[in-house]
């Protein structure tokens, strides 16, 4: 492609960072040295380079990991290497929260101030950081700075902080629960600080009844040999022995539905992709970013071989030629565990009968958990959702039939093959089969991921986690995530199943259970949720781009009492904003951006008058 | 020339070989798909959209980001309709008609969504130069005033126009982010990729890389982005200057179609004049040669008609 570049040149370390991903540039055309005097005029483009667009995000990560921000010269060099127009690459880079396009310090602490961390003192933490490290923001520090972040998926250890350090050997540290002093200490070091152990996130760890979490904290998570010794790869061997058709039949018979939030029958997806013509792909959606959700992180950190084994089975059963694991950028430990599990399985030759598996890292964009946005992100485009139909099973990643499953969904497949689909379907309730992971955080005594067969009520789940924490007096429970719903203390006997949640006007979503005690200002929680959706809207469609802003403004006005017109007028406007987002947005983000707010206003006497 | 000299001239005609004159193979008639729109049954060729079906029923369906010559991006959502069996409304401009679909275009839900989309846009952008949008606002009863004046939206509505070259200006206070200019600059027409959507959410905006000025960017000044802009965010510098001086007067303007004098492609130019001066040049979208696209010469190279220095050269001088 005949591209135009500004005169900005990359520095040697920027070139180095990009070359570490792509290899050295082979010609001047691609930003390298002129080898042959005639070649400056020669285009090297065509399919070879056009086929590399999907490396844009990894290349941007490499630059950011080395330098701490993306300069004009670095972007130019990345674009020359990949033959991507600089305007488009700029559009992609500015899409992600974790990338800075302005000079930023190499060490940045991302401090979660989302709802779960707020319930556990995030405001105090931020105030402390202002004293110790100065005001939030990237611009005011030479070595380390701190920024506020949406949910980091460490809610069971709230308040949480993720420290990222750029350099020749970039490192990250998870500080959770965090104090301002601990964050400052971690930032001033030259190496990572040991983070919390994943076993602590699973209070049930070691219990014999566990189906999905049984390996968390066990040595089998550490090496392939241990994994095999613990009965690992048995499902894979069964699949090889009995064939793809048998695998798909078991998944169909299990009645397994997706655990990522949409609850689509998994067997139907597998069947559709298996029947489609190749090339086709498997994508493991590990971009869990729903506030209050951390179950997939725990699975990847606690049983990485199990997750990869399930991906191998999915690829084998559908005849896919490559699999991608898209892990959210805020999960460095999970990424590392998955990477080394894949490498071990690969060097043992076990991926040969499955397919190559690649890890792709997100860079801070909730919307990329939406499956079609995720495809665009992998392909090197802005993570904007596509219009559906066509559905991924028909036209997904690179326009090919694609099987997308959430991490937890895949983890269930091992149980299904080992027990048989029918036996699996007998677990749980008739319409919600199987074991289920729940994320308990906020005001509970023992936050963490809990596994129970489908059917437990919200009350039972809270009791499993030691009962209501904080003041001990429950005000409300957020179920399903920020896109879910609030329940009142009188609704706790609703079973946390697909049908049970529907009956109370909620959804299973990402199985978040976040109780709030009576000291919490629910209005502030609603405002934070509205702020979250305003920040995370991709901006593509009008109802969501403007609607999420209007929703936040309305809540602010209702909270402050400074309404435009009467209170009823404002509430009516809020209802209309909610409806247009639900009815006319492109994707699930807009459709559900008002769900939690609506449910709370229905149930609780918030914003009833100009009281604040 | 006399008859005599004609007779002496050599015969240059090529003899037509005997037999039937070859012709292009007859295209198969596309099978029809039957859908119901507001209770009215309508048949459209397979592959048509719901918008085609609505238009065939002569139902006025508002569109902003849709234009026949570009791939539908369905982002403005002002064309949404109710589709029986669908949980949410669907965009008419891109949803393909399938046999048996039942569509409603005038329900309370549809009207609410359309009204809200229009209100949202008018509350966050300057729509004063978008007569189409304003007339939709009137017919749907949109009231953008009910959101008040907020800092964020005030900023987006009052940002100054970017004037960085002599040919056209970018006034993003008027931008509704319909993506049309990006498509026209990219794969759908020009393949220059000088602009893209940058940022996210309410901060999403059209930009060159690092927001550099157009002369620093890859822009080739074809002006095809101006041709598709629905809100006057992209306009000729000539028009912008006249508007700034308060001299722009559409009622004193005339449009004259002619053929571009520069090359052999033969693009149709619609030359807009005010007081006998050219104020802008467009090309009809249904023009069969180039679907409304032009190049820098056809779009901007008419200074010779007035004897003014040629602007395209000035701009090109800034570029490598």
């Amino acid at each position: 492609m005949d591209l135009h570049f500004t005169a900005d040149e990359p520095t040697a370390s920027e070139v180095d960072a990009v070359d570490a991903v792509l290899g050295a540039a082979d010609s001047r055309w691609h930003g390298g040295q002129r080898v042959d005097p005639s070649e400056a005029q020669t285009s090297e483009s065509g399919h070879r380079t056009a086929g590399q667009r999907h490396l844009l995000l990894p290349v941007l990560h490499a630059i950011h990991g080395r330098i701490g921000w993306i300069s004009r010269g670095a972007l130019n060099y990345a674009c020359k290497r990949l033959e991507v127009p600089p305007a488009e690459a700029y559009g992609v880079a500015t899409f992600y929260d974790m990338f800075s396009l302005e000079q930023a310090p190499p060490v940045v602490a991302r401090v979660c101030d989302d709802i779960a961390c707020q319930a556990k003192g995030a405001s105090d933490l931020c105030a402390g950081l202002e004293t110790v490290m100065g005001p939030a923001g990237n611009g005011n520090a030479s070595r380390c700075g701190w920024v506020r972040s949406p949910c980091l998926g460490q809610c069971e250890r709230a308040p949480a902080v993720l420290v990222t350090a750029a350099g020749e050997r970039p490192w990250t540290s998870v500080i959770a629960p965090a104090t301002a002093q601990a964050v400052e200490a971690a930032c001033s070091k030259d190496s990572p600080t040991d983070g919390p152990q994943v076993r602590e996130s699973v209070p049930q760890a070691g219990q014999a009844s566990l189906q999905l979490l049984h390996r968390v904290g066990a040595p089998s998570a550490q090496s392939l040999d241990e994994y095999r010794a613990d009965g690992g790869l048995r499902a894979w061997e069964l699949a090889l022995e009995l064939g793809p058709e048998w695998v798909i039949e078991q998944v169909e018979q299990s009645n397994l539905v997706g655990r990522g939030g949409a609850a689509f029958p998994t067997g139907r997806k597998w069947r559709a992709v298996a029947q489609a013509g190749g090339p086709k792909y498997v994508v493991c959606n590990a971009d869990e970013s729903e506030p209050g959700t951390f179950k997939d992180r725990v699975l990847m950190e606690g049983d990485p071989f199990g997750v990869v084994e399930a991906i191998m089975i999915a690829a084998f059963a559908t005849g896919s030629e490559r699999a991608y694991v898209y892990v959210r950028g805020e999960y460095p430990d999970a990424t590392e565990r998955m990477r080394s599990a894949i490498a071990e399985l690969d060097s043992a030759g076990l991926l040969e009968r499955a397919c190559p598996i690649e890890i792709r890292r997100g860079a801070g964009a909730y919307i990329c958990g939406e499956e079609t946005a995720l495809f665009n992100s992998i392909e090197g485009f802005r993570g904007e959702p596509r219009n559906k139909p066509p559905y991924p099973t028909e036209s997904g990643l690179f326009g090919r039939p694609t099987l997308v499953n959430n991490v937890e969904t895949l983890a269930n497949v091992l149980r299904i093959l080992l027990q048989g689909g029918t036996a699996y379907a007998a677990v749980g309730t008739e319409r919600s089969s199987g074991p289920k992971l729940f994320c308990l955080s906020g005001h509970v005594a023992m936050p963490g991921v809990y596994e129970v067969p489908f059917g437990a009520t919200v009350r039972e789940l809270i009791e499993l986690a030691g009962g209501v924490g904080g003041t001990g007096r429950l005000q409300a429970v957020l179920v399903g995530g920020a896109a879910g719903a609030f329940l009142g203390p009188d609704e706790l006997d609703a079973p946390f199943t697909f049908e049970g949640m529907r009956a109370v006007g909620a959804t299973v979503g990402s199985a978040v259970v976040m109780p709030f005690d009576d000291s919490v200002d629910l209005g502030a929680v609603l405002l934070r949720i509205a702020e979250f959706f305003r920040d995370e809207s991709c901006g593509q469609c009008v109802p969501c781009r403007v609607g999420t802003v209007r929703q936040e403004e309305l809540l602010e006005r209702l909270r402050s009492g400074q309404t435009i017109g009467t209170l009823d007028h404002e509430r009516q406007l809020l209802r209309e904003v909610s409806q247009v987002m639900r009815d006319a947005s492109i994707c699930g983000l807009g459709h559900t951006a008002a769900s939690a707010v609506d449910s709370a206003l229905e149930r609780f006497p918030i914003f009833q008058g100009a009281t604040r | 020339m006399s008859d005599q000299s004609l007779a002496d001239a050599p015969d240059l005609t090529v003899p037509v070989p005997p037999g039937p004159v070859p012709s292009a193979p007859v295209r198969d008639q596309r099978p029809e798909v039957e859908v119901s729109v507001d209770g009215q049954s309508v048949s459209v060729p397979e592959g048509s959209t719901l918008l085609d079906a609505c238009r065939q029923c002569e139902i006025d369906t508002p569109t902003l980001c849709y234009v026949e010559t570009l791939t539908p991006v369905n982002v403005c959502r002002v064309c949404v309709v109710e589709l029986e069996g669908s949980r949410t409304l669907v965009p008419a401009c891109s949803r393909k008609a399938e046999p048996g679909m039942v569509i409603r275009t005038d329900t309370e839900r549809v009207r609410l969504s359309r009204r809200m989309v229009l209100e949202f846009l008018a509350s966050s952008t300057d729509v004063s130069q978008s007569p189409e949008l304003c007339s939709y606002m009137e017919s749907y009863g949109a009231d953008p005033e009910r959101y008040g004046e907020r800092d964020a939206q005030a900023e987006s509505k009052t940002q100054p126009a970017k004037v960085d070259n002599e040919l056209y200006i970018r006034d993003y206070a008027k931008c509704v982010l319909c993506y049309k200019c990006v498509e026209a600059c990219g794969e759908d027409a020009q393949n220059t990729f000088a602009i893209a959507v940058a940022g996210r959410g309410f901060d999403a905006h059209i930009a060159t890389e690092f927001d550099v000025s157009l002369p620093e960017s890859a822009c080739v000044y074809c002006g095809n982005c101006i041709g598709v802009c629905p809100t006057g965010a992209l306009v000729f510098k000539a028009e912008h200057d006249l508007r700034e001086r308060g001299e722009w007067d559409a009622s004193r303007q005339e449009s004259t179609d002619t053929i571009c004098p520069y090359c052999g492609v033969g693009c149709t130019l619609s030359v807009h004049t005010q007081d006998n001066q050219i104020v802008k040049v467009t090309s009809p979208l249904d023009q069969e040669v180039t679907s409304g696209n032009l190049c820098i010469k056809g779009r901007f190279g008419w200074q010779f008609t007035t004897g003014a220095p040629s602007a395209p050269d000035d701009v090109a001088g800034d570029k490598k």
Side-chain angles (χ1 to χ4, degrees):
Chain A
M1 202 188 283
D2 187 12
L3 298 174
H4 176 271
F5 297 95
T6 60
D8 306 282
E9 293 290 336
T11 65
S13 34
E14 287 166 345
V15 171
D16 225 36
V18 175
D19 289 357
V21 181
L22 300 175
D26 55 6
S27 73
R28 190 175 147 86
W29 181 266
H30 287 131
Q33 297 298 312
R34 182 183 297 197
V35 205
D36 166 358
S38 70
E39 72 161 3
Q41 308 301 324
T42 316
S43 163
E44 292 277 344
S45 65
H47 284 293
R48 188 171 65 92
T49 342
Q52 291 198 328
R53 171 93 187 217
H54 67 104
L55 293 173
L56 181 58
L57 193 50
V59 162
L60 294 177
H61 263 303
I63 297 168
H64 214 274
R66 173 68 73 92
I67 315 295
W69 66 290
I70 299 167
S71 71
R72 289 183 181 206
L75 194 78
N76 274 351
Y77 183 63
C79 289
K80 278 182 191 164
R81 294 301 311 276
L82 296 171
E83 296 207 20
V84 174
E88 284 200 358
Y90 179 75
V92 171
T94 52
F95 190 82
Y96 298 98
D97 255 4
M98 294 178 78
F99 290 151
S100 173
L101 281 288
E102 284 159 13
Q103 187 150 13
V107 181
V108 174
R110 300 182 176 277
V111 182
C112 177
D113 69 349
D114 218 318
I115 46 176
C117 285
Q118 282 293 357
K120 293 294 181 72
S123 301
D124 292 345
L125 175 62
C126 290
L129 282 170
E130 277 182 23
T131 319
V132 186
M133 295 175 71
N138 264 337
N140 43 30
S142 55
R143 205 197 103 79
C144 48
W146 69 282
V147 293
R148 289 168 183 267
S149 165
C151 182
L152 292 170
Q154 308 274 355
C155 322
E156 80 278 28
R157 312 153 166 168
V161 172
L162 172 69
V163 178
T164 57
E168 262 179 58
R169 283 200 191 80
W171 53 264
T172 55
S173 302
V174 172
I175 316 290
T179 60
Q181 286 70 29
V183 174
E184 207 255 336
C187 285
S188 33
K189 285 171 63 178
D190 290 328
S191 55
T193 305
D194 282 340
Q197 296 295 310
V198 62
R199 193 186 187 291
E200 293 157 20
S201 302
V202 181
Q204 296 167 310
Q207 288 181 14
S209 63
L210 296 181
Q211 302 281 305
L212 303 171
L213 297 174
H214 58 297
R215 290 203 180 94
V216 176
S220 54
Q222 306 300 329
S223 78
L224 182 54
D225 289 340
E226 296 278 5
Y227 182 67
R228 270 187 188 280
D230 190 32
L233 292 179
R234 270 190 12 240
W236 166 245
E237 281 152 11
L238 266 178
L240 287 186
E241 191 186 322
L242 298 169
E245 180 54 33
W246 175 81
V247 173
I248 294 173
E249 271 170 19
Q250 300 310 306
V251 177
E252 282 172 337
Q253 284 164 10
S254 72
N255 292 333
L256 174 67
V257 300
R259 304 295 200 228
F264 189 84
T266 307
R268 283 228 308 262
K269 276 193 193 175
W270 285 45
R271 172 74 65 196
V273 176
Q275 283 171 348
K280 43 199 173 182
Y281 302 102
V282 169
V283 172
C284 169
N285 185 346
D287 193 51
E288 108 183 315
S289 314
E290 185 72 38
T293 314
F294 44 95
K295 59 188 177 64
D296 293 345
R297 192 203 83 229
V298 166
L299 277 175
M300 288 188 287
E301 288 178 6
D303 189 10
F305 288 99
V307 178
V308 181
E309 182 183 349
I311 296 171
M312 289 160 62
I313 293 168
F316 171 74
T318 53
S320 295
E321 68 168 38
R322 188 171 282 271
Y324 293 86
V325 187
Y326 189 93
V327 191
R328 73 178 294 204
E330 292 88 341
Y331 282 178
D333 294 347
T335 308
E336 210 29 63
R337 291 290 180 87
M338 290 292 287
R339 200 187 296 282
S340 68
I342 291 168
E344 265 200 78
L345 286 160
D346 190 23
S347 56
L350 285 159
L351 298 189
E352 273 164 32
R353 301 236 11 222
C355 69
I357 303 175
E358 264 184 59
I359 292 201
R360 291 303 171 95
R361 282 157 70 205
Y366 169 72
I367 188 58
C368 289
E370 199 281 341
E371 53 196 15
T372 57
L374 192 158
F375 299 149
N376 279 343
S377 180
I378 292 182
E379 290 178 25
F381 293 89
R382 289 165 57 80
E384 293 172 353
R386 302 174 184 168
N387 213 46
K388 290 189 272 193
Y391 293 96
T393 51
E394 194 187 314
S395 172
L397 186 62
F398 302 114
R400 303 300 312 167
T402 304
L403 175 71
V404 203
N405 279 145
N406 159 267
V407 175
E408 186 191 348
T409 313
L410 286 165
N412 275 279
V413 170
L414 302 187
R415 307 320 306 166
I416 291 167
L417 297 198
L418 293 175
Q419 293 169 358
T422 333
Y424 177 96
V427 179
T429 68
E430 200 187 325
R431 302 178 70 181
S432 308
S433 69
K436 179 76 189 95
L437 302 184
F438 292 92
C439 308
L440 280 103
S441 65
H443 288 134
V444 284
M446 292 185 293
V449 177
Y450 288 84
E451 177 187 322
V452 285
F454 256 126
T457 63
V458 179
R459 186 189 308 282
E460 285 162 352
L461 289 166
I462 295 174
E463 275 163 15
L464 193 60
V468 178
T471 66
R473 291 181 301 271
L474 183 69
Q475 181 179 186
V477 191
L478 178 64
V479 295
F486 282 93
L487 299 181
D490 54 336
E491 292 170 293
L492 301 187
D493 291 318
F496 209 129
T497 55
F498 294 106
E499 60 277 18
M501 284 295 108
R502 201 174 305 130
V504 291
T507 60
V508 167
S510 54
V512 166
V513 182
M514 198 186 293
F516 292 99
D517 72 15
D518 62 354
S519 73
V520 169
D521 175 358
L522 267 195
V525 175
L526 295 191
L527 205 54
R528 183 64 187 88
I529 290 175
E531 187 193 329
F532 174 81
F533 285 112
R534 185 256 289 148
D535 272 348
E536 298 296 339
S537 166
C538 78
Q540 189 183 200
C541 71
V542 178
C544 178
R545 178 177 78 233
V546 187
T548 51
V549 174
R550 296 291 174 256
Q551 170 175 260
E552 191 194 1
E553 291 169 354
L554 267 157
L555 291 179
E556 265 175 20
R557 290 207 296 269
L558 287 167
R559 197 166 137 74
S560 68
Q562 290 171 343
T563 53
I564 300 173
T566 65
L567 199 66
D568 281 349
H569 175 266
E570 293 277 72
R571 283 179 158 254
Q572 173 61 25
L573 187 52
L574 191 59
R575 273 192 290 275
E576 292 183 4
V577 169
S578 152
Q579 192 180 334
V580 65
M581 290 199 286
R582 193 169 53 243
D583 273 351
S585 298
I586 291 179
C587 79
L589 189 151
H591 296 155
T592 57
S595 302
V597 172
D598 284 352
S599 71
L601 294 184
E602 253 168 47
R603 288 174 167 83
F604 306 105
I606 321 171
F607 311 141
Q608 294 294 7
T611 51
R612 285 175 200 282
Chain B
M1 206 182 275
S2 71
D3 284 352
Q4 189 55 46
S5 63
L6 259 185
D8 290 344
D11 182 9
L12 295 178
T13 53
V14 180
V16 177
V21 179
S23 64
V26 180
R27 195 174 290 174
D28 285 344
Q29 198 71 29
R30 276 194 291 171
E32 298 271 308
V33 174
E34 195 158 303
V35 297
S36 150
V37 181
D38 292 342
Q40 193 179 338
S41 191
V42 56
S43 222
V44 289
E46 199 177 64
S48 304
T49 62
L50 297 182
L51 182 64
D52 297 328
C54 291
R55 289 187 171 168
Q56 201 165 312
C57 296
E58 294 181 352
I59 293 168
D60 180 32
T61 309
T63 59
L64 283 172
C65 68
Y66 175 79
V67 61
E68 286 77 357
T69 52
L70 302 174
T71 316
V73 285
N74 55 76
V75 296
C76 78
R77 317 302 279 185
V78 80
C79 70
V80 286
V81 296
E82 211 168 315
L83 165 64
E84 207 172 274
S86 168
R87 195 168 42 85
T88 56
L89 304 178
V90 301
C93 68
S94 62
R95 188 60 181 261
K96 297 263 189 297
E98 291 165 35
M101 275 182 165
V102 179
I103 314 298
R104 305 229 151 253
T105 71
D106 202 22
T107 65
E108 203 37 58
R109 263 178 95 193
V110 169
R111 290 190 63 84
L112 179 123
S113 276
R114 291 181 179 177
R115 171 167 59 81
M116 292 299 281
V117 162
L118 295 164
E119 273 182 10
F120 281 174
L121 289 176
S123 71
S124 51
T125 41
D126 168 6
V127 295
S128 60
Q129 279 175 42
S130 178
E132 210 182 10
L133 202 153
C134 292
S135 83
Y136 290 143
M137 280 176 58
E138 212 171 295
S139 51
Y140 284 90
D143 171 20
E145 299 306 314
R146 25 182 215 155
Y147 303 93
E149 278 296 333
R150 288 282 316 216
D151 294 350
Q153 71 200 60
E155 214 172 281
S156 68
K157 264 176 112 160
T158 57
Q159 55 182 307
K162 289 179 193 288
V163 185
D164 56 15
N165 67 85
E166 286 303 311
L167 302 185
Y168 73 101
I169 63 106
R170 297 171 292 154
D171 184 359
Y172 289 127
K174 298 191 175 73
C175 175
V176 292
L177 217 63
C178 69
Y179 286 57
K180 281 179 183 167
C181 56
V182 176
E183 290 198 290
C185 188
E187 268 171 13
D188 276 4
Q190 192 63 28
N191 278 288
T192 288
F193 304 97
I195 47 170
V197 180
R200 195 172 74 194
F202 197 71
D203 298 327
H205 59 283
I206 308 293
T208 58
E209 63 273 22
F210 289 96
D211 276 322
V212 299
S213 67
L214 285 181
E216 277 183 277
S217 79
C219 180
V220 295
Y221 304 91
C222 61
N224 290 329
C225 53
I226 309 173
V228 293
C229 180
T231 57
L234 304 172
V235 291
F236 284 71
K237 175 95 169 1
E239 173 176 346
H240 176 73
D241 289 347
L242 284 171
R243 284 185 187 272
E244 290 282 286
R245 292 203 298 268
E247 292 169 13
W248 180 264
D249 183 357
S251 67
R252 297 207 324 259
Q253 287 170 15
E254 264 182 90
S255 170
T256 311
D257 282 6
T258 179
I259 300 295
C260 179
Y262 281 104
C263 79
V265 172
C267 304
T268 302
L269 301 183
S270 301
V271 179
H272 302 252
T273 50
Q274 177 177 324
D275 304 335
N276 223 14
Q277 296 283 314
I278 298 175
V279 290
K280 67 174 174 183
V281 173
T282 60
S283 181
L285 291 184
D286 58 1
Q287 208 253 350
E288 58 185 16
V289 180
T290 58
S291 308
N293 294 312
L294 295 172
C295 73
I296 182 171
K297 292 184 279 186
R299 183 84 62 183
F300 295 107
W302 31 263
Q303 280 77 2
F304 66 86
T305 59
T306 62
S310 146
D313 276 353
D314 295 348
V315 172
D318 285 339
K319 300 189 59 168
K320 281 183 295 175

